[in-house]
Amino acid sequence: MKPRLHLRVLPIRPHFPISAIRLLTVALVALSIGTAQATVLHRDVEISDGFVTISAAIESSAQAHRAWDVLTDFDGSDGYLPSLDSSYVVDRTDSIWTVQQVFTTKLVFPWTFRTRLVFADDPARTRLRFRQMSGSLHDYAGSWTVSPAASGQGVRLEYEARVRLRQAIPGFVLRFIVRRHLDQTLTAILGVLEDAGSVSEQLLTHQDPTV
C-alpha cells in the first residue's frame, strides 16, 4: 500500500508595514476625492546655475486653519510624508520653530539628507517661511502660502523653494528626483487635508492583529 501524503494549505497573510498601508491609503483617497475637493494646480521644477527652483500649488476643501495645522505639525509630519524618516522640534518660540529632519530619496540607492531648518510664521497665519541653518544641502529656503481657494470654498497652498546641493548631479537626474519627491509630498498633504489620516487610522484599528 502506498503511503498517503497529507497536504495542508495555509492561508497567506500579506505582511505590509504600517507606513506602506498609510501611504497607499493617502494616495487612494487623494485620487478618489476628485478635482472638486483636492487638486494639484501646478508643479514646476527648474534648474539653473546650480540651483533648483521649485513652485507648486494645490487646493483642498479643507479649512485654512486645518491646512496651517498640517503644515506646522513638525513632530508628526514623518507619519505621512513618504520620504521623511524623522522630524522633531528642537526649539520653539511664539512664531519660530527650529526643526531637525532626516529624509531619504531613492533612485537606485537610498540617498539620505539631514537638515536643521528654521520656520517662521506671520500673525495672520498666511505664510510660513523656512531656511536651512545647517545640514546636507548647500542652500535650502522657501515658503508655504495659505490663501482661499479660487472657488471661495476651501484652501489654496502655494509652495516655493530654492535648493542647491553640495554634490554635482546631472540635471535630468536631479529634475526626476525632485519631481518625484514633490509629487509624493503634494499627494500626501492633500490626503491628510481630506482626512485621509483618520481613514488610515480606522483601517489600522480594524485590521487583523496577526497581520
Side-chain angles (χ1 to χ4, degrees):
M1 179 181 293
K2 294 183 179 180
R4 294 183 179 180
L5 182 62
H6 296 276
L7 297 178
R8 184 184 177 191
V9 179
L10 298 176
I12 298 176
R13 296 181 181 272
H15 291 266
F16 296 110
I18 290 179
S19 59
I21 296 174
R22 187 179 184 90
L23 177 57
L24 177 61
T25 305
V26 165
L28 290 176
V29 172
L31 289 174
S32 65
I33 52 185
T35 56
Q37 294 184 350
T39 300
V40 176
L41 300 176
H42 75 84
R43 54 164 181 69
D44 298 307
V45 177
E46 301 293 336
I47 301 175
S48 178
D49 298 327
F51 281 91
V52 182
T53 302
I54 308 165
S55 66
I58 57 178
E59 284 191 354
S60 166
S61 62
Q63 298 299 311
H65 68 85
R66 167 67 173 157
W68 188 262
D69 289 343
V70 169
L71 292 179
T72 56
D73 182 20
F74 303 112
D75 287 324
S77 55
D78 55 352
Y80 65 88
L81 291 178
S83 61
L84 192 58
D85 301 323
S86 65
S87 176
Y88 58 92
V89 177
V90 297
D91 192 23
R92 169 75 191 274
T93 65
D94 290 340
S95 60
I96 303 291
W97 293 265
T98 303
V99 182
Q100 184 72 35
Q101 293 185 336
V102 178
F103 58 96
T104 300
T105 185
K106 294 181 180 179
L107 185 57
V108 178
F109 301 103
W111 192 9
T112 299
F113 296 87
R114 291 170 174 80
T115 182
R116 178 163 292 199
L117 300 164
V118 173
F119 290 84
D121 69 359
D122 61 6
R125 291 189 165 188
T126 58
R127 193 175 188 200
L128 182 66
R129 294 168 293 138
F130 63 87
R131 62 178 177 83
Q132 178 184 261
M133 291 178 60
S134 60
S136 304
L137 302 170
H138 192 287
D139 295 292
Y140 181 35
S143 66
W144 284 95
T145 302
V146 181
S147 62
S151 64
Q153 307 216 339
V155 66
R156 176 188 177 103
L157 298 180
E158 295 178 74
Y159 173 70
E160 295 181 348
R162 200 162 184 250
V163 187
R164 184 166 58 146
L165 302 181
R166 297 187 186 278
Q167 304 89 340
I169 299 176
F172 72 95
V173 176
L174 183 57
R175 183 177 288 106
F176 173 81
I177 293 173
V178 173
R179 276 184 178 274
R180 185 175 64 173
H181 173 78
L182 181 61
D183 287 345
Q184 292 175 341
T185 298
L186 296 177
T187 300
I189 290 175
L190 282 174
V192 173
L193 287 177
E194 298 294 335
D195 289 330
S198 61
V199 174
S200 179
E201 293 301 329
Q202 291 173 17
L203 286 179
L204 296 177
T205 300
H206 293 91
Q207 72 173 353
D208 188 334
T210 62
V211 173

